[in-house]
Amino acid sequence: LGSYQDNRNDCVSRDRQAKGSSNGSSKLSEDQVREIRRLIARGFSTRSIGKRYGVSGIQIHYIKHRITWKHLP
């Protein structure tokens, strides 16, 4: 038993949270995220990549800056 924050910290420390495509609300797969990062490196805009994959440009921005999908190399 503990506070909500204690339980969240325990979940994270034991790696018991859904990441990537195992998260039920994910629209992308790990392979798609890797391809998105390659397209970013080649100079494609976040907006054009977002349209290509059916997600917003801000989601691509988050992937680019490793705010989301940071568990992938």
Side-chain angles (χ1 to χ4, degrees), residues 3 9 11-12 18 21 27-29 39 41 50 60 70 73:
S3 69
N9 292 342
C11 178
V12 170
S21 60
K27 293 184 179 181
L28 300 169
S29 69
L39 292 172
I60 303 302
K70 54 188 164 190

Side-chain angles (χ1 to χ4, degrees), residues 47-60:
R47 188 174 190 183
S48 68
I49 297 170
K51 282 186 178 185
R52 181 175 183 172
Y53 286 94
V55 296
S56 68
I58 195 67
Q59 291 302 319
I60 303 302

Side-chain angles (χ1 to χ4, degrees), residues 25-68:
S25 64
S26 174
K27 293 184 179 181
L28 300 169
S29 69
E30 281 83 357
D31 289 338
Q32 288 174 317
V33 171
R34 288 183 188 103
E35 179 61 23
I36 287 168
R37 288 191 177 145
R38 283 191 284 271
L39 292 172
I40 290 167
R42 290 177 51 202
F44 285 83
S45 72
T46 56
R47 188 174 190 183
S48 68
I49 297 170
K51 282 186 178 185
R52 181 175 183 172
Y53 286 94
V55 296
S56 68
I58 195 67
Q59 291 302 319
I60 303 302
H61 172 85
Y62 291 157
I63 291 168
K64 176 182 180 179
H65 294 283
R66 298 185 183 277
I67 295 167
T68 57

Side-chain angles (χ1 to χ4, degrees), residues 1-10:
L1 293 176
S3 69
Y4 174 80
Q5 190 60 51
D6 292 337
N7 291 331
R8 287 300 308 146
N9 292 342
D10 183 58

